PDB file of all heavy atoms in Angstrom:
ATOM      1  N   GLN A 193       8.992   6.876   3.048  1.00 47.00           N
ATOM      2  CA  GLN A 193       8.853   6.680   1.619  1.00 47.00           C
ATOM      3  C   GLN A 193       8.090   5.411   1.312  1.00 47.00           C
ATOM      4  O   GLN A 193       7.233   5.372   0.448  1.00 47.00           O
ATOM      5  CB  GLN A 193      10.245   6.624   0.966  1.00 47.00           C
ATOM      6  CG  GLN A 193      10.990   7.959   1.031  1.00 47.00           C
ATOM      7  CD  GLN A 193      12.396   7.819   0.478  1.00 47.00           C
ATOM      8  OE1 GLN A 193      12.874   6.708   0.257  1.00 47.00           O
ATOM      9  NE2 GLN A 193      13.054   8.940   0.242  1.00 47.00           N
ATOM     10  N   SER A 194       8.396   4.354   2.062  1.00 45.00           N
ATOM     11  CA  SER A 194       7.695   3.083   1.866  1.00 45.00           C
ATOM     12  C   SER A 194       6.223   3.238   2.202  1.00 45.00           C
ATOM     13  O   SER A 194       5.355   2.644   1.579  1.00 45.00           O
ATOM     14  CB  SER A 194       8.322   1.993   2.733  1.00 45.00           C
ATOM     15  OG  SER A 194       9.656   1.804   2.371  1.00 45.00           O
ATOM     16  N   ALA A 195       5.929   4.035   3.252  1.00 45.00           N
ATOM     17  CA  ALA A 195       4.540   4.247   3.635  1.00 45.00           C
ATOM     18  C   ALA A 195       3.775   4.908   2.513  1.00 45.00           C
ATOM     19  O   ALA A 195       2.641   4.541   2.192  1.00 45.00           O
ATOM     20  CB  ALA A 195       4.484   5.108   4.898  1.00 45.00           C
ATOM     21  N   GLY A 196       4.395   5.923   1.865  1.00 47.00           N
ATOM     22  CA  GLY A 196       3.722   6.585   0.759  1.00 47.00           C
ATOM     23  C   GLY A 196       3.472   5.635  -0.387  1.00 47.00           C
ATOM     24  O   GLY A 196       2.406   5.644  -1.006  1.00 47.00           O
ATOM     25  N   SER A 197       4.464   4.786  -0.682  1.00 46.00           N
ATOM     26  CA  SER A 197       4.290   3.798  -1.759  1.00 46.00           C
ATOM     27  C   SER A 197       3.173   2.843  -1.439  1.00 46.00           C
ATOM     28  O   SER A 197       2.390   2.454  -2.307  1.00 46.00           O
ATOM     29  CB  SER A 197       5.606   3.022  -1.964  1.00 46.00           C
ATOM     30  OG  SER A 197       6.636   3.907  -2.318  1.00 46.00           O
ATOM     31  N   ALA A 198       3.091   2.401  -0.181  1.00 45.00           N
ATOM     32  CA  ALA A 198       2.055   1.448   0.210  1.00 45.00           C
ATOM     33  C   ALA A 198       0.679   2.061   0.064  1.00 45.00           C
ATOM     34  O   ALA A 198      -0.264   1.418  -0.388  1.00 45.00           O
ATOM     35  CB  ALA A 198       2.289   1.000   1.651  1.00 45.00           C
ATOM     36  N   LYS A 199       0.544   3.374   0.442  1.00 43.00           N
ATOM     37  CA  LYS A 199      -0.758   4.025   0.343  1.00 43.00           C
ATOM     38  C   LYS A 199      -1.186   4.170  -1.115  1.00 43.00           C
ATOM     39  O   LYS A 199      -2.349   4.006  -1.459  1.00 43.00           O
ATOM     40  CB  LYS A 199      -0.708   5.381   1.028  1.00 43.00           C
ATOM     41  CG  LYS A 199      -0.592   5.271   2.549  1.00 43.00           C
ATOM     42  CD  LYS A 199      -0.467   6.633   3.195  1.00 43.00           C
ATOM     43  CE  LYS A 199      -0.337   6.501   4.716  1.00 43.00           C
ATOM     44  NZ  LYS A 199      -0.146   7.821   5.355  1.00 43.00           N
ATOM     45  N   ARG A 200      -0.215   4.489  -1.997  1.00 43.00           N
ATOM     46  CA  ARG A 200      -0.550   4.600  -3.415  1.00 43.00           C
ATOM     47  C   ARG A 200      -0.937   3.262  -3.995  1.00 43.00           C
ATOM     48  O   ARG A 200      -1.760   3.184  -4.905  1.00 43.00           O
ATOM     49  CB  ARG A 200       0.646   5.174  -4.182  1.00 43.00           C
ATOM     50  CG  ARG A 200       0.875   6.665  -3.911  1.00 43.00           C
ATOM     51  CD  ARG A 200       1.869   7.222  -4.917  1.00 43.00           C
ATOM     52  NE  ARG A 200       3.179   6.599  -4.779  1.00 43.00           N
ATOM     53  CZ  ARG A 200       4.114   7.052  -3.952  1.00 43.00           C
ATOM     54  NH1 ARG A 200       3.872   8.076  -3.153  1.00 43.00           N
ATOM     55  NH2 ARG A 200       5.292   6.465  -3.897  1.00 43.00           N
ATOM     56  N   ALA A 201      -0.361   2.175  -3.444  1.00 43.00           N
ATOM     57  CA  ALA A 201      -0.678   0.829  -3.961  1.00 43.00           C
ATOM     58  C   ALA A 201      -2.052   0.386  -3.543  1.00 43.00           C
ATOM     59  O   ALA A 201      -2.568  -0.601  -4.042  1.00 43.00           O
ATOM     60  CB  ALA A 201       0.368  -0.184  -3.467  1.00 43.00           C
ATOM     61  N   ALA A 202      -2.695   1.098  -2.622  1.00 44.00           N
ATOM     62  CA  ALA A 202      -3.999   0.670  -2.110  1.00 44.00           C
ATOM     63  C   ALA A 202      -5.053   0.649  -3.192  1.00 44.00           C
ATOM     64  O   ALA A 202      -6.059  -0.037  -3.069  1.00 44.00           O
ATOM     65  CB  ALA A 202      -4.433   1.603  -0.975  1.00 44.00           C
ATOM     66  N   VAL A 203      -4.856   1.408  -4.261  1.00 42.00           N
ATOM     67  CA  VAL A 203      -5.863   1.445  -5.313  1.00 42.00           C
ATOM     68  C   VAL A 203      -5.734   0.250  -6.242  1.00 42.00           C
ATOM     69  O   VAL A 203      -6.589   0.010  -7.071  1.00 42.00           O
ATOM     70  CB  VAL A 203      -5.736   2.748  -6.135  1.00 42.00           C
ATOM     71  CG1 VAL A 203      -6.025   3.951  -5.256  1.00 42.00           C
ATOM     72  CG2 VAL A 203      -4.342   2.863  -6.769  1.00 42.00           C
ATOM     73  N   SER A 204      -4.643  -0.505  -6.147  1.00 44.00           N
ATOM     74  CA  SER A 204      -4.445  -1.665  -6.996  1.00 44.00           C
ATOM     75  C   SER A 204      -5.090  -2.875  -6.364  1.00 44.00           C
ATOM     76  O   SER A 204      -5.675  -2.808  -5.303  1.00 44.00           O
ATOM     77  CB  SER A 204      -2.943  -1.903  -7.214  1.00 44.00           C
ATOM     78  OG  SER A 204      -2.332  -2.211  -5.990  1.00 44.00           O
ATOM     79  N   THR A 205      -4.972  -4.011  -7.062  1.00 46.00           N
ATOM     80  CA  THR A 205      -5.537  -5.256  -6.550  1.00 46.00           C
ATOM     81  C   THR A 205      -4.425  -6.243  -6.308  1.00 46.00           C
ATOM     82  O   THR A 205      -3.290  -6.042  -6.724  1.00 46.00           O
ATOM     83  CB  THR A 205      -6.527  -5.852  -7.557  1.00 46.00           C
ATOM     84  OG1 THR A 205      -5.843  -6.067  -8.796  1.00 46.00           O
ATOM     85  CG2 THR A 205      -7.714  -4.926  -7.756  1.00 46.00           C
ATOM     86  N   GLY A 206      -4.751  -7.385  -5.672  1.00 55.00           N
ATOM     87  CA  GLY A 206      -3.767  -8.430  -5.454  1.00 55.00           C
ATOM     88  C   GLY A 206      -3.001  -8.217  -4.174  1.00 55.00           C
ATOM     89  O   GLY A 206      -3.414  -7.469  -3.289  1.00 55.00           O
ATOM     90  N   PRO A 207      -1.842  -8.875  -4.037  1.00 55.00           N
ATOM     91  CA  PRO A 207      -1.046  -8.811  -2.809  1.00 55.00           C
ATOM     92  C   PRO A 207      -0.685  -7.404  -2.391  1.00 55.00           C
ATOM     93  O   PRO A 207      -0.644  -7.074  -1.213  1.00 55.00           O
ATOM     94  CB  PRO A 207       0.204  -9.632  -3.172  1.00 55.00           C
ATOM     95  CG  PRO A 207      -0.234 -10.536  -4.263  1.00 55.00           C
ATOM     96  CD  PRO A 207      -1.266  -9.773  -5.043  1.00 55.00           C
ATOM     97  N   GLY A 208      -0.406  -6.480  -3.380  1.00 60.00           N
ATOM     98  CA  GLY A 208      -0.048  -5.119  -3.036  1.00 60.00           C
ATOM     99  C   GLY A 208      -1.163  -4.408  -2.305  1.00 60.00           C
ATOM    100  O   GLY A 208      -0.923  -3.660  -1.355  1.00 60.00           O
ATOM    101  N   ALA A 209      -2.420  -4.630  -2.728  1.00 60.00           N
ATOM    102  CA  ALA A 209      -3.558  -3.999  -2.060  1.00 60.00           C
ATOM    103  C   ALA A 209      -3.702  -4.496  -0.642  1.00 60.00           C
ATOM    104  O   ALA A 209      -4.013  -3.739   0.276  1.00 60.00           O
ATOM    105  CB  ALA A 209      -4.834  -4.277  -2.855  1.00 60.00           C
ATOM    106  N   CYS A 210      -3.461  -5.784  -0.464  1.00 66.00           N
ATOM    107  CA  CYS A 210      -3.542  -6.360   0.882  1.00 66.00           C
ATOM    108  C   CYS A 210      -2.503  -5.738   1.796  1.00 66.00           C
ATOM    109  O   CYS A 210      -2.789  -5.350   2.925  1.00 66.00           O
ATOM    110  CB  CYS A 210      -3.344  -7.874   0.799  1.00 66.00           C
ATOM    111  SG  CYS A 210      -3.440  -8.689   2.391  1.00 66.00           S
ATOM    112  N   PHE A 211      -1.281  -5.598   1.277  1.00 56.00           N
ATOM    113  CA  PHE A 211      -0.215  -4.993   2.078  1.00 56.00           C
ATOM    114  C   PHE A 211      -0.556  -3.557   2.436  1.00 56.00           C
ATOM    115  O   PHE A 211      -0.391  -3.111   3.563  1.00 56.00           O
ATOM    116  CB  PHE A 211       1.102  -5.048   1.293  1.00 56.00           C
ATOM    117  CG  PHE A 211       2.242  -4.361   1.990  1.00 56.00           C
ATOM    118  CD1 PHE A 211       2.982  -5.029   2.945  1.00 56.00           C
ATOM    119  CD2 PHE A 211       2.562  -3.043   1.703  1.00 56.00           C
ATOM    120  CE1 PHE A 211       4.027  -4.402   3.599  1.00 56.00           C
ATOM    121  CE2 PHE A 211       3.601  -2.404   2.366  1.00 56.00           C
ATOM    122  CZ  PHE A 211       4.336  -3.095   3.308  1.00 56.00           C
ATOM    123  N   ALA A 212      -1.069  -2.785   1.450  1.00 58.00           N
ATOM    124  CA  ALA A 212      -1.390  -1.386   1.682  1.00 58.00           C
ATOM    125  C   ALA A 212      -2.480  -1.239   2.728  1.00 58.00           C
ATOM    126  O   ALA A 212      -2.429  -0.345   3.578  1.00 58.00           O
ATOM    127  CB  ALA A 212      -1.825  -0.734   0.368  1.00 58.00           C
ATOM    128  N   ALA A 213      -3.479  -2.119   2.672  1.00 57.00           N
ATOM    129  CA  ALA A 213      -4.564  -2.051   3.650  1.00 57.00           C
ATOM    130  C   ALA A 213      -4.033  -2.323   5.045  1.00 57.00           C
ATOM    131  O   ALA A 213      -4.428  -1.667   6.008  1.00 57.00           O
ATOM    132  CB  ALA A 213      -5.651  -3.059   3.287  1.00 57.00           C
ATOM    133  N   SER A 214      -3.138  -3.288   5.160  1.00 54.00           N
ATOM    134  CA  SER A 214      -2.556  -3.587   6.466  1.00 54.00           C
ATOM    135  C   SER A 214      -1.789  -2.385   6.996  1.00 54.00           C
ATOM    136  O   SER A 214      -1.856  -2.041   8.173  1.00 54.00           O
ATOM    137  CB  SER A 214      -1.614  -4.794   6.357  1.00 54.00           C
ATOM    138  OG  SER A 214      -2.327  -5.937   6.002  1.00 54.00           O
ATOM    139  N   TYR A 215      -1.058  -1.711   6.094  1.00 52.00           N
ATOM    140  CA  TYR A 215      -0.271  -0.553   6.510  1.00 52.00           C
ATOM    141  C   TYR A 215      -1.182   0.570   7.014  1.00 52.00           C
ATOM    142  O   TYR A 215      -0.913   1.208   8.032  1.00 52.00           O
ATOM    143  CB  TYR A 215       0.580  -0.046   5.345  1.00 52.00           C
ATOM    144  CG  TYR A 215       1.550   1.040   5.761  1.00 52.00           C
ATOM    145  CD1 TYR A 215       2.850   0.709   6.138  1.00 52.00           C
ATOM    146  CD2 TYR A 215       1.151   2.371   5.813  1.00 52.00           C
ATOM    147  CE1 TYR A 215       3.735   1.685   6.545  1.00 52.00           C
ATOM    148  CE2 TYR A 215       2.027   3.359   6.223  1.00 52.00           C
ATOM    149  CZ  TYR A 215       3.324   3.004   6.585  1.00 52.00           C
ATOM    150  OH  TYR A 215       4.187   3.976   6.998  1.00 52.00           O
ATOM    151  N   ALA A 216      -2.278   0.782   6.311  1.00 54.00           N
ATOM    152  CA  ALA A 216      -3.190   1.864   6.690  1.00 54.00           C
ATOM    153  C   ALA A 216      -3.791   1.630   8.052  1.00 54.00           C
ATOM    154  O   ALA A 216      -4.046   2.567   8.808  1.00 54.00           O
ATOM    155  CB  ALA A 216      -4.289   1.994   5.639  1.00 54.00           C
TER     156      ALA A 216
END
């Protein structure tokens, strides 16, 4: 579930985008 949230956050900017990119 967290992985899905992180992937959806990839379209945003700021710290969330950085986290999502790392996850991917």
Side-chain angles (χ1 to χ4, degrees):
Q193 293 175 348
S194 299
S197 300
K199 290 177 181 177
R200 288 192 296 272
V203 296
S204 64
T205 58
C210 181
F211 176 84
S214 296
Y215 187 93

